[in-house]
Amino acid sequence: MSLPHTLYTASQVRELDRIAIEDFAIPGYTLMQRAGQATFEHIMAHYPETRLLCVACGAGNNGGDGYVIARLALDAGLKVFLIQLGDEASIQGDALLARQAFLETGAKVYHYASGDQEVQQALADADVIVDALFGTGLSRAVEGQWAKAIKKINQSKAKVASVDVPSGLNADSGAVLGDAVSADLTVTYIGLKCGLFTGQARDYVGELAFDDLGVPFEVYQYAPVITPQKELMTNDSIRQNLRPRPRVSHKGDFGHVLCIGGAQGMSGAIRLAAEAALRTGAGLVSIATHPSHAAMLNLTRPEIMASAVEHPDELSPLIEKATVIMIGPGLGKSAWAQDLLTQALEADKPKVLDADALNLLAEQHFSPGSGLSTVLHKPLLSRLLSKYDNWVLTPHPGEAARLLLTKTALIEQDRFQAVELLQKKFAGVCVLKGAGSLICDGVKTMVCPNGNPGMASGGMGDVLSGVIAALLAQGLSLSDAANIGVFVH
């Protein structure tokens, strides 16, 4: 089953589950059996040579799914080793029914103990380990026997399939709660959980499969709406906002991007941004940069128009000609940089702010008429910046932390909250870069599933700012330019 677009919090999915059970008369045990069946089928489709299946179960409904999987594996003739963690006396409801159905086969349940050689050998010898320890409700750090079991699972050479969410991963934020199972395959149900797509989750989820468990479409219409809504970008959702160019078009139809940056000795970043704007289809691209290297910037890219700017007044005629302003790459934080940013922000044109433009914004918040040299009381920032919301901000986690007056580690603990706070504080559209980049416009938060570790390279952010600026210049809205720019980048 293909992945849907809408993302849900854990509490929203639990509400969908409740609605399906109470309002649409689908028994909870039926949903559990469907979840187990869907997961077992995905396991066998991915790992058809499986002979020994080791299932690690917790004491909740996630563990109940594990018991269903174990019973189905026995029915299919596989050797099954089921390990119970947590207090089995606390197992109740549908999970208890699933456990009893497994025990009726005559199979044995083993209890996890780090010193139990038989248990440790099963984890080491298994072809596939099923992680059914925790569900979506985990909110505190994993510790004790749970943490030891997760470490053993991760040390095994077996393939690992997680039920719904890799155990130890926060289903809402994607943060690792102390320790988390590193899955090769995760099968999630009913609704896609937000935390499966961003931050640390990208190293733990593995391949993601989805099954709606036969829940009627009408159930989803009753889901509580949370703003900003969260959606996963797809090829189709991106393509619908792109239009072919008319054959009779000319360069004036596709806008003029002015790229401002490149302090003395820092010419590369603004050149990367400008070239990205060209490659993304802007009709014209200009650079306003430090006089020390302006003449060199277009030696191998002659279609870039490079201008030396020593004094802020020299920027005015360049801004006048531009459709979109992109500022920040290689800008530095000198008085020269501050003056250029002041001049750019005063222009009533769409903007993309990146790199040092963001750092200056964080350090010396802009006040109309006073320039960036005046430091303002930070709670006043939103009101003072209200006229400057026609922009896209593109911080990485470190820059986001400076803008929100916090630490980078806290940004990464809840990237959804961080990007939504950025947008609320600075308006416009905010892009939080990183694994599973997020784009928030105040109405929706979009999640980009693309990217790879090779993008962890100097200059990538500069390129993104140029891509987004070029899309703005071609007439796309702030949101569409940011979403398409991130996806394509």
Side-chain angles (χ1 to χ4, degrees):
M1 182 176 291
S2 61
L3 299 181
H5 297 178
T6 304
L7 303 181
Y8 298 92
T9 63
S11 62
Q12 283 179 302
V13 174
R14 283 193 288 272
E15 179 64 8
L16 289 172
D17 198 54
R18 184 198 65 77
I19 293 168
I21 294 169
E22 296 181 7
D23 298 346
F24 287 80
I26 304 175
Y29 188 51
T30 297
L31 293 176
M32 183 172 286
Q33 289 176 306
R34 292 175 183 175
Q37 182 72 47
T39 306
F40 181 67
E41 288 175 359
H42 277 291
I43 290 170
M44 297 312 296
H46 282 78
Y47 315 115
E49 302 302 316
T50 300
R51 295 295 176 267
L52 172 58
L53 193 72
C54 186
V55 184
C57 293
N61 280 346
N62 200 254
D65 296 335
Y67 274 103
V68 174
I69 294 165
R71 179 177 52 78
L72 291 170
L74 286 173
D75 291 344
L78 274 62
K79 183 177 180 182
V80 175
F81 195 99
L82 192 143
I83 304 171
Q84 176 69 57
L85 282 88
D87 181 12
E88 63 183 357
S90 66
I91 300 174
Q92 56 186 348
D94 299 327
L96 182 59
L97 293 176
R99 174 183 165 86
Q100 291 169 341
F102 173 77
L103 292 173
E104 286 171 4
T105 67
K108 181 179 179 181
V109 172
Y110 296 81
H111 294 272
Y112 183 82
S114 56
D116 188 323
Q117 189 60 38
E118 192 173 14
V119 168
Q120 301 307 315
Q121 196 63 49
L123 289 170
D125 293 343
D127 298 307
V128 174
I129 297 173
V130 176
D131 156 36
L133 296 176
F134 297 117
T136 59
L138 185 68
S139 58
R140 59 185 177 85
V142 177
E143 54 189 19
Q145 291 286 74
W146 302 94
K148 291 177 181 178
I150 286 173
K151 283 187 171 66
K152 285 295 182 182
I153 290 171
N154 289 340
Q155 289 168 0
S156 173
K157 294 180 180 179
K159 296 294 183 181
V160 178
S162 285
V163 174
D164 208 13
V165 176
S167 293
L169 194 71
N170 186 295
D172 289 344
S173 69
V176 172
L177 301 173
D179 285 287
V181 169
S182 181
D184 298 288
L185 169 68
T186 299
V187 185
T188 198
Y189 319 120
I190 297 183
L192 292 179
K193 287 77 183 174
C194 299
L196 295 174
F197 296 94
T198 193
Q200 293 171 289
R202 297 292 289 267
D203 274 335
Y204 290 85
V205 171
E207 183 177 344
L208 183 65
F210 171 76
D211 198 291
D212 63 14
L213 306 186
V215 169
F217 173 76
E218 290 77 12
V219 170
Y220 297 89
Q221 296 178 308
Y222 288 88
V225 176
I226 294 179
T227 302
Q229 297 177 53
K230 299 171 177 63
E231 290 188 12
L232 186 69
M233 294 182 191
T234 65
N235 280 313
D236 289 341
S237 66
I238 293 300
R239 285 180 183 276
Q240 69 185 8
N241 290 311
L242 292 173
R243 299 289 181 268
R245 292 187 173 202
R247 292 183 179 274
V248 296
S249 54
H250 58 84
K251 63 187 178 185
D253 294 330
F254 304 115
H256 185 165
V257 175
L258 173 62
C259 302
I260 305 172
Q264 190 169 10
M266 300 170 66
S267 62
I270 200 66
R271 160 64 195 270
L272 285 168
E275 185 167 344
L278 283 168
R279 291 183 179 222
T280 311
L284 293 167
V285 176
S286 297
I287 293 177
T289 193
H290 196 274
S292 62
H293 52 243
M296 297 182 290
L297 281 180
N298 65 351
L299 288 178
T300 57
R301 184 60 65 189
E303 60 269 43
I304 294 174
M305 297 173 284
S307 298
V309 175
E310 189 163 1
H311 301 291
D313 290 345
E314 297 169 347
L315 195 57
S316 296
L318 301 175
I319 289 176
E320 186 66 28
K321 296 176 183 178
T323 309
V324 171
I325 299 167
M326 193 282 297
I327 183 167
L331 185 66
K333 294 189 286 184
S334 65
W336 175 82
Q338 294 175 16
D339 289 340
L340 295 190
L341 180 58
T342 300
Q343 196 86 342
L345 289 180
E346 288 286 4
D348 186 19
K349 295 188 175 183
K351 304 170 194 67
V352 179
L353 271 64
D354 186 34
D356 284 326
L358 299 173
N359 292 328
L360 285 171
L361 197 64
E363 289 181 7
Q364 297 173 303
H365 293 143
F366 180 75
S367 172
S370 67
L372 282 164
S373 58
T374 301
V375 179
L376 299 166
H377 190 252
K378 283 157 184 165
L380 300 178
L381 180 64
S382 294
R383 178 171 61 81
L384 292 169
L385 290 176
S386 61
K387 64 174 282 193
Y388 303 103
D389 62 356
N390 188 18
W391 57 18
V392 178
L393 308 185
T394 62
H396 58 54
E399 292 158 348
R402 289 188 280 276
L403 288 166
L404 291 176
L405 312 177
T406 186
K407 297 179 180 179
T408 303
L410 294 178
I411 296 292
E412 291 291 74
Q413 279 295 305
D414 194 335
R415 288 169 53 82
F416 281 101
Q417 182 185 55
V419 76
E420 289 161 13
L421 286 174
L422 281 167
Q423 197 284 327
K424 186 175 181 180
K425 183 174 182 179
F426 293 97
V429 175
C430 292
V431 176
L432 180 57
K433 297 182 287 196
S437 289
L438 306 178
I439 303 95
C440 182
D441 63 4
V443 177
K444 286 184 179 180
T445 298
M446 303 297 292
V447 185
C448 182
N450 300 343
N452 61 75
M455 296 179 72
S457 175
M460 277 287 168
D462 307 317
V463 169
L464 176 62
S465 61
V467 170
I468 294 174
L471 293 169
L472 282 173
Q474 292 169 78
L476 274 72
S477 68
L478 294 176
S479 294
D480 288 342
N483 290 331
I484 294 171
V486 169
F487 193 87
V488 170
H489 177 257

